[in-house]
Amino acid sequence: MQIINLTERPEFAEAVTDWQWQAFGSENSREFFSSVVKSCLNGADLPQTFIALDGDILAGTVGLWRCDLISRQDLTPWLAALYVDEPYRSRGLGQQLQEFVLEQSRRSGFREVYLYAEFAGYYERFGWKYIGDALDYPDKPVRVYQQSL
């Protein structure tokens, strides 16, 4: 399994956009995810999108975003849009994608990384510390996590 920046294989941009939209979006939010992916491809420091490849097969994706939760814009950066394709689940790829983002964040000089989830139990297994609740737009309660680098 190889994890690389999407900029190295931009032909996967549409598939990554569709995964993010279907996993995390709403009926009308595909253009939002498309704009994030396009920003990554334009060479911005943040956001960045990383992909996991099994040979030439797209297996997963994860982002490093400036902000992923409007109600907590005071925190940055965020591990965002972690997605592993179904045939690759329960094989440790989610952990590998997290570790990759943490290493990229460390190299960029960040001291901590944040994420949010609607559920408990998964991220704690990988060293993420629950730091409290927040609201995802407009009023969905979520759990906020932090990892020191």
Side-chain angles (χ1 to χ4, degrees), residues 16-27:
V16 167
T17 297
D18 285 338
W19 276 355
Q20 291 178 355
W21 172 51
Q22 292 164 6
F24 309 111
S26 62
E27 182 180 334

Side-chain angles (χ1 to χ4, degrees), residues 65-136:
W65 296 2
R66 187 174 324 281
C67 183
D68 191 28
L69 192 60
I70 293 172
S71 66
R72 292 305 311 262
Q73 294 184 50
D74 57 314
L75 306 176
T76 195
W78 292 74
L79 183 146
L82 173 64
Y83 181 84
V84 175
D85 198 22
E86 195 140 347
Y88 293 93
R89 293 182 186 165
S90 300
R91 295 166 59 178
L93 183 55
Q95 180 179 6
Q96 290 175 38
L97 288 163
Q98 290 174 59
E99 290 171 355
F100 190 87
V101 165
L102 294 172
E103 181 56 32
Q104 294 299 312
S105 300
R106 197 175 289 110
R107 288 181 184 169
S108 295
F110 295 111
R111 290 195 227 175
E112 57 262 331
V113 178
Y114 301 89
L115 66 79
Y116 79 89
E118 297 177 30
F119 50 84
Y122 177 74
Y123 290 106
E124 291 90 340
R125 295 185 310 184
F126 306 110
W128 292 90
K129 179 183 171 192
Y130 168 73
I131 60 171
D133 294 327
L135 290 177
D136 190 14

